[in-house]
Amino acid sequence: MSMVRLAPSILAADFARLGQPVAEAAEAGGDRIHVDVMDRHFVPNRSMGAVVVQSLRRVTHLPLEIHLMISDPDLCFEEFVAAGSDSFLAHWEGNTTLHRPVQQIRTLGKRAGVAINPATSAAVLEEIVQDVDQVLVMTVNPGFRHQQFVRTTLPKIGRVRELIECGQPECEVEVDGGIDAGTAPLVVRAGATVLVAGSAIFGDPRGVTAAMEGLRTALNQVEDGTELVERPALQRSQ
Ligand code: DX5
Ligand code: ZN
């Protein structure tokens, strides 16, 4: 059984009936529910707010992880905590005083993480990694579901892993964007321990349970050493 954790992202689910797919994802072994919050300012898209978290809290016991793609994340923590959120991911980009939101999250007794975009170097994490529980390496540019995986993030995942092992070994390395049964083995081999997946779980025509099983099978093959390795892609990116 793979120790890698799966975080289904509801951005790819049917918003008219969120409860059922979320319950299915929990039943199928989801570790946490990933909630993408966007303000059409930090990213060119708008999504959901604390009211959705409040509704989700009634239908699942899984931790609710809030990915904040908004300007001024400091202003929203209390509202999201009151709604039932368990952890927050704030972006390094645009947050010149990143320790402030991290400290606020900690003061509220929740888990704190920092997210970096594909074009942002792992090196920016050096001064913050000791203070967070999670690093989120974006494997697409934030803002939309079902985008193409950015392969140049693979070696960066390894660099993040190294930084964490030096300063904060308990910290999780999470990836988000374009994760499916093909890319999941690549990111795990690179050092990721938590995989966010939206379209590959909630957009799979076979259904949520079959989709999660497909991802788990691909991950188990990494651990068994039996997965089919995309050699040319790996050679390019390592
Ligand atoms: C993108 C979001 C992701 C998104 C991933 O900005 O942060 O969490 O839901 O969707 P997929 O897995 O479809 O790329
Ligand atoms: Zn996300």
Side-chain angles (χ1 to χ4, degrees), residues 9 11 34 36 67 69 138 142-146 176-178 197-199:
S9 166
L11 191 63
H34 183 89
D36 290 300
H67 179 188
M69 289 161 275
M138 291 303 297
F144 301 92
R145 66 188 179 189
H146 204 228
D176 183 8
S199 307

Side-chain angles (χ1 to χ4, degrees), residues 6-10 31-37 48 53 56-57 62-68 80 84-89 111-113 133-136 172 174-176 194-197:
L6 292 179
S9 166
I10 59 165
D31 175 74
R32 65 195 73 170
I33 299 296
H34 183 89
V35 180
D36 290 300
V37 176
M48 60 201 105
V53 173
L56 288 171
R57 187 70 293 162
L62 285 185
L64 299 173
E65 164 179 278
I66 315 302
H67 179 188
L68 293 168
F80 273 91
S85 308
D86 297 286
S87 60
F88 293 92
L89 297 156
R111 287 169 60 85
D133 305 292
Q134 298 167 240
V135 168
L136 180 68
E172 294 177 322
E174 187 167 9
V175 292
D176 183 8
V194 184
L195 313 189
V196 177

Side-chain angles (χ1 to χ4, degrees), residues 37-56:
V37 176
M38 308 176 186
D39 63 356
R40 208 180 176 92
H41 182 255
F42 185 81
V43 289
N45 195 8
R46 208 190 309 274
S47 60
M48 60 201 105
V51 67
V52 174
V53 173
Q54 202 174 8
S55 297
L56 288 171

